[in-house]
Amino acid sequence: MSRKGADIVIEALKEENVEVIFGLPGGAIMEVYDALYRDGTIKHILARHEQGAGHMAEGYAKATGKVGVAMTTSGPGATNIVTPIADAYMDSVPIVVITGQVPTHMIGNDAFQEVDIVGITRPITKHNFLVRDIEELPLIIREAFYIARTGRPGPVLVDIPKDITQQFSDVSIPGMEEVKKALPGYKPHIEGNMQQIKKAVKLIMEAKRPVLYVGGGAVSSEAQEELVELAELMKIPVTTTTQGKGAFPENHPLSLRMLGMHGTYYANMAVYNSDLLIAVGARFDDRVTGKIDEFAPDAKIIHIDIDPASISKNIIVDVPIVGDVKIVLRKLINELKRKGAKVMYPEEREKWLEQIEKWKKLHPLTYRNSKKVIKPQYVIEQIYEVTKGDAIIVPGVGQHQMWAAMFYKFSYPRQFLNSGGLGTMGFGLPAGIGAKVGRPEKEVFVIDGDGSFVMTMQEIITAVQYRIPVKVAIINNAYLGMVRQWQELFYDKRYSEVDLSVQPDFVKLAEAMGAVGFRAEKPKEVREVLEEAMKIEDRPVILDFVVDKEENVLPMVPPGKSYRDMILEDGKGTEAETMYLVG
Amino acid sequence: MADTVGGSEITVAKAPKFRQTRKGQVRKHIINVKVRNEIGVLARIATLIAGKGYNIESLSVGETHEPGISRMTIEVIGDDIVIDQVVKQLRKLIDTLKVKDITDVPHVERELLLVKVHTPTARARDEVLRIVEIFRGKIVDVSPETYTIEVTGDEDKIDAILQLLKPFGIKEMARTGKVAMRRELFNEENNLD
Ligand SMILES: Cc1ncc(C[n+]2csc(CCOP(=O)(O)OP(=O)(O)O)c2C)c(N)n1
Ligand SMILES: [Mg+2]
């Protein structure tokens, strides 16, 4: 049947089972919005800024594992969504972004609202397309979804000139076979090489001091069951990155929680002193490794990752295994069992686990609470309690993000949705809205900074309009706190341009936008306002927690330094002579 | 020495230990890339290499016997390890079908040179002609003042003839950049790039 290009877009989206689009219309994309309106079956959330729409699509994708969809007009609409695209690229989030473009014959003429968004996003998309012919439109949309969700997931952009959305065609929506055939150069590896798996098995059985280091790849491949089984089978302690949180439950006795710059003392000690590091869907980011040549200096490394280009990128590994984490771990477990799952050096292994327990007792994650001022860590702990540890937590970027990562304990995958790679302030609120749209049954708590929140706070209006009851806890320290912390520690307290003491009244702001606002200024009010907030189910809630302004995130491995240079929670260094098994 | 660590008996060594980090050798690499001939594919490849901070020394693209498929030969100077990374990332591009660094495998490489040499005198013309013959080149254009010469060969040969022609005065020149292909090895099955 002959129909407009715009209708073909909607048809193809329905074929992909898209249930919601986050976006904002404009001239070049109006035909598609008209088709959306006429069709009436796909829900649309009207963001107040395209950056918001992009992060909403990311939050939706991160929370559900499905592909998130965002749609904008050409020119400024397209450039406004560049940051979320880069964010999704860095964190391997499957999103498809559809942008309108000026009509084909005007491309390259500096037409009104023309921008070369395909060129701009080339280095920050997994792939992108400019549609040149209505006949290829449905195939391209299906290819975009296929590329976004398979292999190492990532953002894909489809730029559609206006004339193509207006033309008519009877082209049919292609099936999956046709989509795959159209992409001969795209073969996402999934299986994992058996020879390599056998080598890994040998190393694991022979290891004296093994550690599992788990990243976001374990979350996107849904490998939590395999991880727990492997860890328990071979008694291997597990540390995760911020992206890997929830892939292994943090209340499990083998959990070391997070490693890296703001990792726990015991996770970093364990990694530093390990003799075998099993990296699972992680990419040895510099925020994790610190100084690379002092990262786990005595360890052999097994690296399981779906992306061959991630392997030996930042660090040379001994046994690379390219494949889907879940599939490879399953094969690894089977092979271990076939070999009797033997620990060759049980005595050393026992000692290792004992040692880790000692490290845990020596420097647990802690802070000094106060009766006078609200400590940010205390707020997070209280959020943990009122939500019974079951909420999806979505932070902004800064100190509050790290406190959220440290003081909320995560037990299931897709529970901590974080802008890890790009570190995008302003991510929290819109991503939280997207998450709540995808997982309405879950409590969604955005834990934001006073700086981060104002970067995308207009999306409160969106949440009000669609009655999306996200909770937003602002950890209000009246500073760009993380930058202030670095200035305190590394720039002799020269606080250059980090003062946020001029702020809106967040409670009034909430009310002005149709949300509910609360403020807590004393420790005893924290629990009260949280409990009040939990009663509200039909609107977003903003909680303004006025906290200790100069609290620092500790422990900390200073940037570019080794784990040995860690600053502990008391502000002191590690006792270098006695703490290291590995010199 | 034996020592107690956090209260338990484990041997402790105190001097810091360092992870082996490999640094590659910096040298010229020849990378063959088979691509789908789509709009923007060249830009994608160039963006990726430039993103590593490397300059493309030469690049040649042309059609192959398969419709819609082109082949590129890219010459780039870089650290072995970074180039290995580049190759892996090139493979990840949706439009690339095959990517191979053939620097260290037996291969043939050729480049075409067009060079316009100043030859105002009979003596200059004689000498240049002799050089061209030795290098099995061709004179493809003549004017009272110049010869335009075409030569193909590997890098050494092209460099050598340029060296010899230089004293006469080079007015203009263009090199195509390399095209390269793996040598067909006998009794080896999978010899296709
Ligand atoms: C868009 C953007 N701009 C700048 C930065 C650099 N940056 C990182 S953390 C931070 C401070 C964040 O302040 P706030 O949101 O109040 O969080 P806090 O650290 O105070 O908890 C800044 C400016 C960034 N990550 N993102
Ligand atoms: Mg702040």
Side-chain angles (χ1 to χ4, degrees):
Chain A
M1 195 191 61
S2 190
R3 68 286 197 220
K4 268 189 179 176
D7 294 299
I8 295 174
V9 173
I10 300 299
E11 226 178 288
L13 293 181
K14 281 159 79 173
E15 191 66 32
E16 292 292 343
N17 299 315
V18 172
E19 50 185 21
V20 57
I21 300 172
F22 304 92
L24 195 152
I29 195 76
M30 280 184 75
E31 289 285 348
V32 180
Y33 271 89
D34 186 58
L36 182 75
Y37 183 95
R38 284 185 280 105
D39 177 79
T41 63
I42 302 180
K43 185 172 175 178
H44 183 274
I45 303 280
L46 174 63
R48 294 317 196 250
H49 185 296
E50 290 86 353
Q51 182 187 359
H55 291 316
M56 285 176 202
E58 282 191 275
Y60 174 88
K62 282 193 183 214
T64 62
K66 298 181 206 164
V67 178
V69 182
M71 193 151 77
T72 80
T73 191
S74 65
T79 52
N80 271 349
I81 204 164
V82 168
T83 297
I85 292 173
D87 193 87
Y89 186 67
M90 294 291 277
D91 284 348
S92 308
V93 188
I95 60 170
V96 168
V97 176
I98 296 173
T99 48
Q101 181 54 281
V102 301
T104 313
H105 68 275
M106 292 209 255
I107 291 178
N109 291 355
D110 296 337
F112 177 63
Q113 294 195 329
E114 179 188 356
V115 73
D116 175 15
I117 196 63
V118 168
I120 288 172
T121 59
R122 193 170 285 131
I124 52 167
T125 47
K126 188 170 170 189
H127 197 58
N128 60 17
F129 298 90
L130 170 63
V131 182
R132 313 211 133 235
D133 183 348
I134 189 168
E135 300 303 311
E136 59 181 31
L137 177 59
L139 179 63
I140 284 178
I141 290 176
R142 298 219 66 190
E143 284 178 275
F145 278 83
Y146 177 63
I147 292 169
R149 70 166 177 264
T150 53
R152 179 177 179 169
V156 180
L157 178 133
V158 182
D159 197 25
I160 314 178
K162 184 163 186 174
D163 54 326
I164 297 207
T165 62
Q166 290 169 323
Q167 290 162 14
F168 282 81
S169 165
D170 57 8
V171 61
S172 58
I173 311 292
M176 254 350 269
E177 281 316 301
E178 220 176 308
V179 172
K180 285 183 192 165
K181 227 176 77 192
L183 296 167
Y186 180 62
K187 292 185 197 74
H189 300 252
I190 46 165
E191 283 303 319
N193 179 303
M194 209 51 220
Q195 276 330 99
Q196 295 296 92
I197 290 174
K198 284 187 174 151
K199 277 190 212 159
V201 161
K202 185 159 179 289
L203 286 186
I204 292 171
M205 298 204 305
E206 286 172 358
K208 295 175 180 158
R209 304 185 306 274
V211 173
L212 272 154
Y213 149 46
V214 175
V219 173
S220 47
S221 90
E222 317 261 327
Q224 58 277 17
E225 203 186 301
E226 287 76 9
L227 267 174
V228 172
E229 189 177 341
L230 174 63
E232 288 178 350
L233 179 70
M234 300 305 291
K235 295 210 171 53
I236 307 174
V238 183
T239 178
T240 66
T241 66
T242 51
Q243 297 311 97
K245 268 188 182 289
F248 190 81
E250 292 192 306
N251 42 19
H252 192 288
L254 285 167
S255 171
L256 300 168
R257 311 206 52 200
M258 189 167 77
L259 83 167
M261 181 175 279
H262 291 298
T264 60
Y265 168 79
Y266 41 96
N268 286 350
M269 279 299 128
V271 169
Y272 186 87
N273 292 291
S274 64
D275 72 343
L276 177 69
L277 196 62
I278 311 160
V280 180
R283 62 191 177 92
F284 299 88
D285 177 86
D286 52 275
R287 283 287 181 271
V288 162
T289 62
K291 196 168 173 225
I292 197 93
D293 56 359
E294 291 182 41
F295 177 70
D298 205 29
K300 289 216 165 62
I301 299 181
I302 299 168
H303 188 182
I304 305 170
D305 204 289
I306 191 133
D307 179 7
S310 272
I311 289 188
S312 293
K313 178 169 67 178
N314 298 334
I315 206 159
I316 310 301
V317 303
D318 301 277
V319 181
I321 307 175
V322 178
D324 177 81
V325 165
K326 188 182 178 78
I327 296 173
V328 172
L329 284 182
R330 179 49 59 203
K331 287 185 175 173
L332 190 71
I333 291 166
N334 290 347
E335 185 61 20
L336 272 166
K337 284 184 177 159
R338 216 175 59 81
K339 295 265 176 179
K342 255 213 334 264
V343 174
M344 307 282 244
Y345 302 96
E347 249 174 66
E348 277 88 345
R349 185 70 67 89
E350 268 318 305
K351 266 192 190 163
W352 175 237
L353 293 175
E354 274 170 28
Q355 179 60 47
I356 284 170
E357 283 313 309
K358 285 186 179 123
W359 280 327
K360 281 186 180 174
K361 291 213 180 76
L362 200 59
H363 293 288
L365 272 183
T366 100
Y367 65 99
R368 191 166 303 175
N369 209 349
S370 156
K371 288 219 164 69
K372 292 202 190 84
V373 289
I374 302 177
K375 290 286 179 177
Q377 301 93 328
Y378 175 70
V379 177
I380 312 290
E381 281 179 350
Q382 290 304 306
I383 294 174
Y384 180 79
E385 288 193 6
V386 297
T387 58
K388 304 186 175 65
D390 190 54
I392 292 176
I393 301 296
V394 193
V397 170
Q399 293 181 306
H400 62 280
Q401 173 191 30
M402 289 301 122
W403 286 315
M406 293 167 149
F407 292 93
Y408 202 99
K409 278 193 184 166
F410 298 89
S411 56
Y412 61 90
R414 308 189 181 283
Q415 191 183 6
F416 185 64
L417 315 182
N418 173 54
S419 170
L422 197 65
T424 310
M425 289 172 70
F427 171 86
L429 172 61
I433 291 172
K436 185 72 185 173
V437 169
R439 301 288 307 273
E441 77 286 3
K442 286 277 177 199
E443 194 67 59
V444 173
F445 243 97
V446 174
I447 296 179
D448 227 338
D450 46 332
S452 295
F453 175 70
V454 298
M455 286 204 179
T456 50
M457 66 182 179
Q458 75 285 344
E459 302 307 339
I460 287 288
I461 312 165
T462 310
V464 170
Q465 177 177 350
Y466 297 93
R467 299 186 172 275
I468 302 165
V470 287
K471 310 274 185 290
V472 184
I474 300 174
I475 305 299
N476 185 353
N477 53 9
Y479 271 123
L480 293 170
M482 188 57 99
V483 180
R484 187 209 55 76
Q485 174 172 344
W486 285 41
Q487 288 169 340
E488 177 186 335
L489 296 176
F490 314 122
Y491 293 89
D492 276 334
K493 297 201 177 183
R494 290 188 298 278
Y495 290 168
S496 175
E497 301 303 322
V498 288
D499 178 7
L500 298 181
S501 53
V502 175
Q503 289 178 324
D505 177 330
F506 289 117
V507 175
K508 283 190 186 154
L509 182 81
E511 283 159 11
M513 292 197 280
V516 182
F518 295 102
R519 177 173 299 117
E521 287 170 309
K522 300 233 162 50
K524 66 172 174 38
E525 294 163 2
V526 170
R527 187 62 180 245
E528 286 165 26
V529 297
L530 279 171
E531 278 170 7
E532 282 307 307
M534 293 299 284
K535 293 179 190 153
I536 295 161
E537 285 169 358
D538 61 344
R539 269 169 298 169
V541 181
I542 296 175
L543 296 133
D544 179 14
F545 293 105
V546 180
V547 300
D548 192 353
K549 293 175 67 164
E550 302 208 0
E551 185 71 15
N552 283 338
V553 182
L554 293 172
M556 175 180 199
V557 179
K561 293 286 184 65
S562 128
Y563 288 2
R564 295 173 71 99
D565 306 309
M566 199 176 340
I567 305 166
L568 293 171
E569 64 283 352
D570 53 6
K572 299 203 185 89
T574 62
E575 303 91 302
E577 316 77 36
T578 54
M579 281 306 114
Y580 300 98
L581 312 186
V582 173
Chain B
M1 75 183 229
D3 202 346
T4 57
V5 177
S8 80
E9 293 243 346
I10 294 179
T11 310
V12 177
K14 284 173 186 152
K17 192 160 176 171
F18 294 99
R19 162 159 293 282
Q20 285 268 318
T21 42
R22 210 166 8 126
K23 263 225 159 271
Q25 193 192 338
V26 175
R27 57 185 178 133
K28 193 181 274 184
H29 287 256
I30 303 172
I31 304 170
N32 267 344
V33 188
K34 220 165 107 179
V35 297
R36 289 207 296 170
N37 201 354
E38 300 275 342
I39 293 165
V41 63
L42 187 59
R44 260 179 232 288
I45 289 171
T47 304
L48 200 156
I49 294 174
K52 293 277 168 195
Y54 287 165
N55 185 30
I56 294 176
E57 297 292 309
S58 86
L59 179 137
S60 68
V61 202
E63 287 179 356
T64 65
H65 58 292
E66 297 163 84
I69 309 282
S70 291
R71 184 187 177 107
M72 295 185 184
T73 305
I74 303 169
E75 258 188 303
V76 55
I77 295 175
D79 179 291
D80 287 345
I81 289 169
V82 184
I83 294 290
D84 184 50
Q85 185 64 25
V86 167
V87 167
K88 285 178 184 164
Q89 290 188 328
L90 285 172
R91 286 195 182 121
K92 261 174 80 175
L93 294 179
I94 307 290
D95 289 329
T96 55
L97 300 172
K98 258 166 192 172
V99 183
K100 180 103 190 144
D101 182 345
I102 61 165
T103 316
D104 293 329
V105 296
H107 63 269
V108 253
E109 53 179 70
R110 288 292 178 272
E111 186 173 6
L112 186 142
L113 166 77
L114 286 180
V115 57
K116 195 179 286 173
V117 187
H118 196 50
T119 49
T121 63
R123 178 141 173 250
R125 279 198 287 277
D126 273 0
E127 270 186 52
V128 167
L129 193 63
R130 207 160 47 241
I131 292 169
V132 169
E133 270 168 11
I134 293 167
F135 281 83
R136 294 181 219 279
K138 265 193 262 174
I139 310 256
V140 290
D141 189 41
V142 187
S143 80
E145 298 269 301
T146 62
Y147 271 170
T148 302
I149 300 153
E150 169 199 315
V151 205
T152 58
D154 58 18
E155 194 172 348
D156 289 347
K157 179 175 163 189
I158 304 284
D159 287 347
I161 190 171
L162 278 173
Q163 194 93 51
L164 291 170
L165 294 175
K166 222 182 205 159
F168 297 93
I170 292 175
K171 302 193 71 157
E172 223 182 309
M173 68 168 264
R175 296 169 77 150
T176 56
K178 262 173 215 164
V179 291
M181 210 173 265
R182 281 178 72 168
R183 277 186 193 282
E184 190 70 18
L185 301 183
F186 301 107
N187 44 16
E188 196 188 318
E189 280 172 49
N190 191 5
N191 192 37
L192 303 167
D193 58 335

